[in-house]
Amino acid sequence: FISIHFNSVENDPSVRGTETFALTPQFQYSTNDSRHQGDDDTALPGNRMDPWNTLLGYSVHRHLLGALKTYDRGLKRARFKVLTLLNCPGILVESGYLSNTAEGEKINTPAYRTDIAQAIASGVDAYAATVAAAERRR
């Protein structure tokens, strides 16, 4: 499962780049949390896929950065609702910032959106190859 988004920051048009989110594992802080949150200890259905979520996130994020040559905002953890109930590996991709003029102009072109789609597909292919190789070693 891949949820594809474009981000925006209302008060800072200089923010740019690509970030990828996997579901935060049980008992861990999300990337933007500096202290314990009430839901940190809760096991969510999507947490059954934690290792695969992370592997998928890493693979897709790496391919996005390589293909788009965009600023790396990181592979991050969050408890976004869209990721919590999954029973398959899943990530959320923030492909760029519409509030950044230069990035927004690129995003507005079909060619750049095709580049995003192809990079995500390449990341999924690399993820699938890694999973297949791991299964062969079992």
Side-chain angles (χ1 to χ4, degrees), residues 6 17 19 35 40 42 47 56 65-66 71 87 90 99 128 130 137:
F6 295 103
E19 53 195 343
R35 59 190 175 102
D40 289 348
T42 303
N47 288 132
L56 177 61
L65 294 177
Y71 178 74
N87 64 7
S99 53
T130 301
R137 288 191 295 265

Side-chain angles (χ1 to χ4, degrees), residues 37-84:
Q37 302 294 313
D39 60 353
D40 289 348
D41 299 339
T42 303
L44 300 165
N47 288 132
R48 290 185 305 248
M49 299 290 160
D50 282 342
W52 306 116
N53 295 336
T54 301
L55 180 61
L56 177 61
Y58 169 79
S59 183
V60 169
H61 191 70
R62 185 172 58 98
H63 280 84
L64 282 165
L65 294 177
L68 304 178
K69 308 296 186 230
T70 184
Y71 178 74
D72 182 3
R73 296 189 55 82
L75 174 58
K76 299 177 177 182
R77 303 288 192 150
R79 289 186 177 88
F80 292 140
K81 200 58 144 171
V82 70
L83 300 175
T84 61

Side-chain angles (χ1 to χ4, degrees), residues 13-42:
S14 68
V15 177
R16 62 185 169 76
T18 301
E19 53 195 343
T20 304
F21 292 87
L23 181 62
T24 305
Q26 183 182 15
F27 303 116
Q28 293 186 16
Y29 295 174
S30 293
T31 299
N32 294 328
D33 293 340
S34 60
R35 59 190 175 102
H36 188 271
Q37 302 294 313
D39 60 353
D40 289 348
D41 299 339
T42 303

Side-chain angles (χ1 to χ4, degrees), residues 59-60 62-63 67 116-128:
S59 183
V60 169
R62 185 172 58 98
H63 280 84
I116 292 168
Q118 289 174 336
I120 291 170
S122 294
V124 171
D125 287 344
Y127 164 82

